[in-house]
């Protein structure tokens, strides 16, 4: 178990971080996920499917946490922005920073699909298994998520262009 944690802790935390956009929440999700993984690993029938199985646990724990937080209160936007600045996340002045900033404006489902496929470099089949949806649905959601991301980027670029005129 220690070897699995050593190998997978960082990638699973990054996945939780992309979904929650908050380091403290990502830590909480990772902690709960590792406990669930330790408890349920005996039931994993195919060791080769550990990666997708573990990512699915993190996705489910993240969704649970987000639902709880949405029921209790809205996120404090000012504190979130301060945390991002404290973490030294890229600013929207560069392309990567611009895309990361745009991704934070996507809904959780779009952000998850894009993150798993592009940032974690998972196959459609792996994303399908993690999200518990058919491969065809993954493909259509990827298309929709890319379209939504493009709209956000276009809006941002057009508003910046107007400001500089």
């Amino acid at each position: 178990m220690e070897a699995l944690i050593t190998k997978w802790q960082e990638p699973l935390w990054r996945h939780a971080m992309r979904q929650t956009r908050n380091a403290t929440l990502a830590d909480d999700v990772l902690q709960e996920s590792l406990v669930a993984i330790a408890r349920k690993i005996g039931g994993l029938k195919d060791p080769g499917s550990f990666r997708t199985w573990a990512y699915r646990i993190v996705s489910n724990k993240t969704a649970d946490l987000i639902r709880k937080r949405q029921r209790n209160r809205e996120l404090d936007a000012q504190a979130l922005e301060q945390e991002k600045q404290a973490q030294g996340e890229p600013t929207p002045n560069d392309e990567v920073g611009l895309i990361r900033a745009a991704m934070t404006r996507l809904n959780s489902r779009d952000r998850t699909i894009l993150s798993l496929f592009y940032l974690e470099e998972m196959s459609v089949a792996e994303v399908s298994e993690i999200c518990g949806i058919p491969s065809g649905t993954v493909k259509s959601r990827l298309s929709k998520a890319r379209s939504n991301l493009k709209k956000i980027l276009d809006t941002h670029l057009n508003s910046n262009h107007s400001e500089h005129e």
Side-chain angles (χ1 to χ4, degrees):
M1 191 65 199
E2 187 176 327
L4 284 175
I5 290 173
T6 301
K7 180 177 181 176
W8 291 102
Q9 183 172 355
E10 183 65 26
L12 293 174
W13 182 87
R14 283 193 317 265
H15 179 57
M17 180 64 181
R18 279 194 283 284
Q19 290 184 309
T20 63
R21 297 175 287 178
N22 181 296
T24 303
L25 295 178
D27 288 343
D28 292 346
V29 167
L30 179 65
Q31 185 73 24
E32 287 185 31
S33 298
L34 291 175
V35 169
I37 288 168
R39 260 194 251 129
K40 298 176 182 180
I41 196 144
L44 181 62
K45 294 177 179 140
D46 176 16
S49 67
F50 177 83
R51 178 183 185 205
T52 54
W53 178 75
Y55 272 83
R56 187 173 196 169
I57 288 173
V58 172
S59 293
N60 290 340
K61 293 293 182 185
T62 301
D64 291 347
L65 180 113
I66 289 171
R67 275 192 296 272
K68 285 178 194 173
R69 288 183 59 84
Q70 287 173 341
R71 276 192 299 255
N72 294 334
R73 63 180 168 85
E74 291 295 315
L75 286 174
D76 179 358
Q78 184 179 16
L80 183 62
E81 190 60 34
Q82 289 172 350
E83 184 170 326
K84 285 181 182 179
Q85 290 173 354
Q87 292 173 354
E89 288 189 15
T91 62
N93 296 334
D94 60 90
E95 287 182 20
V96 172
L98 182 61
I99 292 169
R100 286 180 192 263
M103 282 188 66
T104 65
R105 297 182 55 204
L106 290 170
N107 64 46
S108 177
R109 184 178 78 181
D110 287 352
R111 194 172 49 252
T112 297
I113 292 283
L114 290 173
S115 295
L116 290 172
F117 188 76
Y118 289 106
L119 301 176
E120 295 297 331
E121 299 177 353
M122 291 188 178
S123 68
V124 168
E126 290 173 314
V127 175
S128 168
E129 189 173 334
I130 289 167
C131 295
I133 56 177
S135 293
T137 304
V138 170
K139 291 176 186 176
S140 64
R141 286 187 184 174
L142 273 169
S143 177
K144 182 73 172 160
R146 284 189 296 260
S147 176
N148 289 341
L149 184 61
K150 183 181 183 315
K151 287 176 190 171
I152 291 168
L153 289 168
D154 287 347
T155 301
H156 176 77
L157 293 173
N158 288 335
S159 69
N160 277 352
H161 180 69
S162 299
E163 291 173 7
H164 291 102
E165 288 181 354

